[in-house]
Amino acid sequence: MGETKKKTTHKTQKQPQGAKPSGKPAPEVQKHRFSDLDQYLFGQATHYEIFWKMGAHPDRVNGKAGTWFTVWAPHAQEVSVVGDFNNWTPDVHRMELTGPDGVYELFIPGVTEGALYKYCIKARDGRLLFKADPYAFASEKRPGTASKVARIDGYKWGDDRWMEKRKEFDPKTSAMTIYEVHPGSWMKHPWSEANPEGFYNYVQFAHAIVDYVKKMGYTHVELMGIAEHPFDGSWGYQVTGYYAPTSRYGTPKEFKYLVDYLHKNKIGVILDWVPAHFPKDAHGLADFDGEPLYEYADPRQGEHPDWGTKIFNYGMNEVKNFMLANALYWIEEYHVDGLRVDAVASMLYLDYGKRDGEWVANKYGGNQNLEAIEFFKHLNSLVLGRNKGAVMIAEESTAWPKVTGKVEDDGLGFSLKWNMGWMHDFLDYMKLDPYFRKYNHNKMTFAMTYAFSENYILVLSHDEVVHLKCSMINKMPGDLEEKFQNLKAGYAFMFGHPGKKLLFMGQDFGQLREWSEERELDWYLLEEDSHRHLQEYVSDLLHMYTKYPALYANDKGYEGFQWVNANDGDRSIFSFIRWSPTERNNLLFVCNFTPVARHDYMCGVPKLKQYRLILDSDDEKYGGSSKDRQKVYRSKKGECDGQPYRIAYDLPPFGVAVFTF
């Protein structure tokens, strides 16, 4: 590296002993020098707060204010810091190699918060690469690609009550209804020269989204596209700044305000998290120091042919440490309540999206990525072990066993799994003309054969309303009135079915157009009765869900669910019971999926009790024709649907009735 780089301060100044504990004041002066212990922990993938050492950190050394810069680039010949403070000139601020692991560092006096910078990396073949900082806390707003010196300490949290209460959250027995939101397109300001894109900043978004979510009755918000990404059209799934809340909407501390404000209003926060792949942008992680570093070197292992992205090397400890610490970073430093882990199947299978010759088998000749499996076990044990009540959610689309199973039982250790099988069957059924539903009755009942094999979330996500798949309302058959009736019946069935719930923004009021990240939702539709009625109906479903423990507290086994009649295919009617763990306020669901009224409908019931109607999809307030309908029904003795008692109910076309008993 040359004698000019071997400064005496590097040899004589004491090194810190270990990592900075999360949330505690940093040690004095030399807190960001990379010690032998740091090297060891980093090499073992156990330096869980390495983001306090890597990256850019304002500090004072010998009384001078400046910033420490630290980066991992083991294949580099030389590394220097370039930025607006040195006119982006290489070699002005050359970094020092701290040890055999390829970590470089440098303190630059005079560089303070807000400075833009990159690393100039001289590869072994002589090329100069200008790379953004993998550990940067903030980034320049796109189309700029520089990193930005930022502090994330010093924010005064006000969510102590929420964080303490969160420890009681159990993904098996607690209520959870998730509102999936893309902040940049949920709602926009009118165009102005000052804000031509119309983005709400994090603070404005916090207040607007809380008002909406509280009104509707969701328990959690899942935010898309928070980690920095260069291309809006990727929706945040091709990340270049894993430690930087996107600058599109503001600063890291403003993002903390968003989480804090949601918590103060008793709303949980989940982030989309993308450990499966990263883009090939020149300033990003790909070939970071001139050679594969964060990705597998063999392109058969290190690239997704369909996506044009790189695959993280889960066998490299320093790369694993980067991802493990990143998960903890969002949950512990930003108080996020959980991570929805994207594209889990693509990580588990070596041949995912690949043809013969495009992948490499594991050491046993199989297609399982053994290193990714170990990574997930480590990840979930670490995050959930340190953060009681947090959740790790797998977007996993195959029948991989024990995704939510305990690690000690050879499971992956996730809290919850997206139920993609239910989603596909449900949508296939709902798209059908009602005449043909009788031939596909099993699509709505099949999910109950495996409903408790994992801890599931039933999802109707953004993926289902893009790329010519139609909006949710336009998937429904019939004229516009029938579309709304179909969707109401479908949503009621979903909320009665075991599993937590997720709806993407716009689905709760019948967004007509497919979602696009370029425009806000069609809020003007709420001026029309049909959309406003659907919104009120979904809100009542959400509030019903959280009011009655029968709908969430017994999600873990068949003791919480019972079919009354799963075989009425000719009439396309489903009836079932959700049992409360207290045996009080049990719920009976009856769902009619045809436009045929059943005035003489008889439903079997298990007890000689009163059955109180608490939801009628044909109610006038939802745009229906029911007025002053009878609210209480006394069961009568007489076998029906295999039950000893029965009630009679005038079931409307596409009618849904929910009774409590």
Side-chain angles (χ1 to χ4, degrees), residues 572-590:
S572 298
I573 297 174
F574 302 85
S575 52
F576 56 88
I577 293 170
R578 294 303 308 273
W579 291 103
S580 169
T582 63
E583 297 188 7
R584 298 180 62 187
N585 291 319
N586 307 297
L587 299 180
L588 168 67
F589 280 72
V590 180

Side-chain angles (χ1 to χ4, degrees), residues 216-270:
M216 291 299 295
Y218 295 98
T219 65
H220 291 71
V221 170
E222 180 179 318
L223 300 175
M224 296 169 58
I226 295 300
E228 192 61 84
H229 52 286
F231 177 48
D232 289 17
S234 78
W235 312 331
Y237 292 109
Q238 296 198 9
V239 177
T240 51
Y242 275 84
Y243 286 82
T246 179
S247 55
R248 288 167 176 81
Y249 319 127
T251 67
K253 288 183 180 177
E254 287 171 336
F255 179 67
K256 286 189 174 184
Y257 178 91
L258 166 60
V259 177
D260 199 16
Y261 191 72
L262 283 159
H263 283 174
K264 288 175 182 177
N265 285 277
K266 301 179 182 179
I267 301 165
V269 183
I270 298 164

Side-chain angles (χ1 to χ4, degrees), residues 56 67 69 83-85 88 110-117 138 146-150:
T67 297
F69 295 90
D84 54 9
F85 44 85
W88 303 94
V111 176
T112 56
E113 191 170 10
L116 298 177
Y117 71 99
S147 299
K148 183 182 287 189
V149 177

Side-chain angles (χ1 to χ4, degrees), residues 78-377:
E78 296 177 351
V79 183
S80 59
V81 185
V82 298
D84 54 9
F85 44 85
N86 63 16
N87 204 27
W88 303 94
T89 306
D91 297 332
V92 173
H93 291 112
R94 291 188 178 184
M95 304 182 77
E96 299 179 24
L97 187 63
T98 65
D101 209 26
V103 174
Y104 292 79
E105 68 180 358
L106 181 67
F107 178 79
I108 306 179
V111 176
T112 56
E113 191 170 10
L116 298 177
Y117 71 99
K118 284 186 178 180
Y119 296 114
C120 176
I121 297 173
K122 185 176 182 180
R124 287 199 281 209
D125 61 9
R127 287 176 297 145
L128 293 183
L129 307 173
F130 293 86
K131 293 288 189 177
D133 187 346
Y135 289 87
F137 288 159
S139 299
E140 184 181 16
K141 187 176 178 181
R142 54 101 178 95
T145 58
S147 299
K148 183 182 287 189
V149 177
R151 304 191 72 112
I152 63 168
D153 55 346
Y155 181 84
K156 294 184 178 180
W157 290 93
D159 63 349
D160 291 356
R161 185 175 298 178
W162 170 271
M163 296 298 285
E164 187 63 30
K165 183 72 174 175
R166 191 181 77 180
K167 295 176 183 178
E168 302 172 10
F169 184 85
D170 183 342
K172 292 182 180 179
T173 59
S174 299
M176 191 178 208
T177 51
I178 302 170
Y179 186 51
E180 186 187 27
V181 181
H182 180 262
S185 60
W186 179 69
M187 190 175 286
K188 289 179 178 285
H189 293 298
W191 185 92
S192 68
E193 288 188 11
N195 185 8
E197 296 162 315
F199 290 148
Y200 279 43
N201 63 36
Y202 288 122
V203 175
Q204 294 164 340
F205 177 72
H207 289 265
I209 197 71
V210 161
D211 288 347
Y212 187 78
V213 167
K214 288 179 72 174
K215 167 191 166 185
M216 291 299 295
Y218 295 98
T219 65
H220 291 71
V221 170
E222 180 179 318
L223 300 175
M224 296 169 58
I226 295 300
E228 192 61 84
H229 52 286
F231 177 48
D232 289 17
S234 78
W235 312 331
Y237 292 109
Q238 296 198 9
V239 177
T240 51
Y242 275 84
Y243 286 82
T246 179
S247 55
R248 288 167 176 81
Y249 319 127
T251 67
K253 288 183 180 177
E254 287 171 336
F255 179 67
K256 286 189 174 184
Y257 178 91
L258 166 60
V259 177
D260 199 16
Y261 191 72
L262 283 159
H263 283 174
K264 288 175 182 177
N265 285 277
K266 301 179 182 179
I267 301 165
V269 183
I270 298 164
L271 293 191
D272 270 5
W273 190 61
V274 191
H277 63 129
F278 55 90
K280 297 180 181 178
D281 295 66
H283 68 286
L285 296 177
D287 294 318
F288 183 77
D289 54 6
E291 302 174 31
L293 181 63
Y294 285 87
E295 68 269 45
Y296 288 103
D298 188 333
R300 296 175 298 169
Q301 297 172 292
E303 294 197 21
H304 276 301
D306 289 346
W307 300 343
T309 54
K310 297 282 190 177
I311 300 172
F312 281 105
N313 183 349
Y314 310 110
M316 174 76 76
N317 277 348
E318 292 85 353
V319 175
K320 283 195 295 184
N321 203 144
F322 174 79
M323 299 308 300
L324 293 168
N326 187 246
L328 289 174
Y329 170 79
W330 292 111
I331 288 177
E332 296 181 353
E333 297 302 325
Y334 285 91
H335 290 201
V336 165
D337 302 295
L339 301 176
R340 175 265 192 187
V341 183
D342 182 62
V344 168
S346 75
M347 298 171 64
L348 293 173
Y349 295 96
L350 295 166
D351 58 348
Y352 185 92
K354 299 179 180 181
R355 296 183 290 271
D356 290 346
E358 293 182 341
W359 62 284
V360 180
N362 64 33
K363 62 184 179 181
Y364 302 114
N367 68 342
Q368 301 88 3
N369 188 332
L370 305 178
E371 293 164 345
I373 295 168
E374 187 279 331
F375 169 77
F376 281 133
K377 293 179 178 181

